[in-house]
Amino acid sequence: MTRRLRPDEKAAWEAMAAQVGKKEKPSRKPRELRPEEAALWEQIAASVRPLGNRPAAPALPRVKPPEGPRAEPVLPAVAHHLAGISVTDATLDAVWDRKIRTGEVLPDLVIDLHGYTREAAYNLLERRIRQAHERRARVVLIVTGKGRSTTPWPETPRGILKEELPRWLDQPGLRPYISALRPAHQRHGGMGAFYAILRRTRGE
């Protein structure tokens, strides 16, 4: 059985309940600083320097680029007795010849030169052959277009790109990448395309 509150206890309880139920209203106006607080604030503000007056950080030394010519990409090594042989005359083993003749060769990369000017076609060819070598591709299909001639390659004059392609691949900048150049099978363009068989990287 609980006892009843005395009058003084009841009054205290009611006062406490009234305080809990009230929501404290935010003050609309901040109070003013007392004199000693204002003096302390002025001292702190006087001791602070603006960021613009901070000393600048020391400049980093400039690194000069190395002098001398840029290093050229390393070309695959070519045997001396093959260096003077054209890509059209270079021989392949019997397995390669059979795959090319029967259309079993699957190109790893296609370079489509059809429709390019001579200069643009050469720049594209050089760039893509280097990329193919870096990717360790073996067969690159090069599309030149058939040109005007209908006589089988390479006995007669051909279109401009068809005529230039073997010469481009025989140049020192590209010859080390190429083992041989062969006309493509009909399924890959026939007289308008060629297989460039790339040299293997040593250690493969």
Side-chain angles (χ1 to χ4, degrees):
M1 184 175 178
T2 57
R3 71 177 181 85
R4 293 183 178 181
L5 297 176
R6 297 192 301 270
D8 56 337
E9 293 175 337
K10 185 178 180 180
W13 175 258
E14 291 177 352
M16 184 181 299
Q19 291 294 331
V20 172
K22 290 182 179 180
K23 292 184 178 180
E24 186 176 353
K25 295 182 180 180
S27 57
R28 296 182 180 179
K29 183 179 180 181
R31 71 175 181 85
E32 297 182 356
L33 296 177
R34 295 192 294 271
E36 61 272 17
E37 293 175 339
L40 179 60
W41 173 255
E42 291 178 357
Q43 293 178 5
I44 295 174
S47 63
V48 176
R49 292 183 178 181
L51 292 176
N53 295 334
R54 294 180 61 182
L60 295 176
R62 294 186 177 180
V63 180
K64 294 183 178 180
E67 298 181 357
R70 297 178 60 183
E72 294 294 332
V74 179
L75 300 179
V78 181
H80 292 291
H81 69 284
L82 296 177
I85 299 177
S86 173
V87 292
T88 58
D89 297 329
T91 58
L92 296 170
D93 59 34
V95 176
W96 275 110
D97 287 334
R98 177 181 58 81
K99 289 183 177 180
I100 292 173
R101 185 175 61 256
T102 58
E104 299 178 34
V105 173
L106 296 179
D108 300 307
L109 184 71
V110 178
I111 304 176
D112 190 354
L113 305 180
H114 187 250
Y116 284 82
T117 63
R118 182 180 303 183
E119 181 179 359
Y122 175 78
N123 292 336
L124 177 62
L125 176 70
E126 184 179 33
R127 183 171 66 255
R128 297 298 298 277
I129 288 293
R130 294 180 187 275
Q131 292 175 353
H133 173 73
E134 293 173 357
R135 298 175 185 176
R136 299 184 178 182
R138 288 305 313 279
V139 181
V140 177
L141 178 66
I142 304 175
V143 180
T144 61
K146 295 181 179 181
R148 297 179 180 178
S149 175
T150 58
T151 307
W153 179 89
E155 287 79 6
T156 59
R158 304 168 293 280
I160 295 177
L161 297 183
K162 291 178 66 175
E163 185 177 0
E164 291 291 349
L165 180 61
R167 299 176 186 175
W168 290 343
L169 295 180
D170 281 336
Q171 293 184 7
L174 291 177
R175 182 64 181 90
Y177 296 107
I178 310 299
S179 290
L181 183 70
R182 294 290 186 271
H185 189 268
Q186 188 63 34
R187 63 181 296 192
H188 292 140
M191 295 176 56
F194 301 88
Y195 298 125
I197 312 301
L198 270 59
R199 297 178 56 84
R200 282 188 179 275
T201 304
R202 286 187 177 182
E204 294 184 352

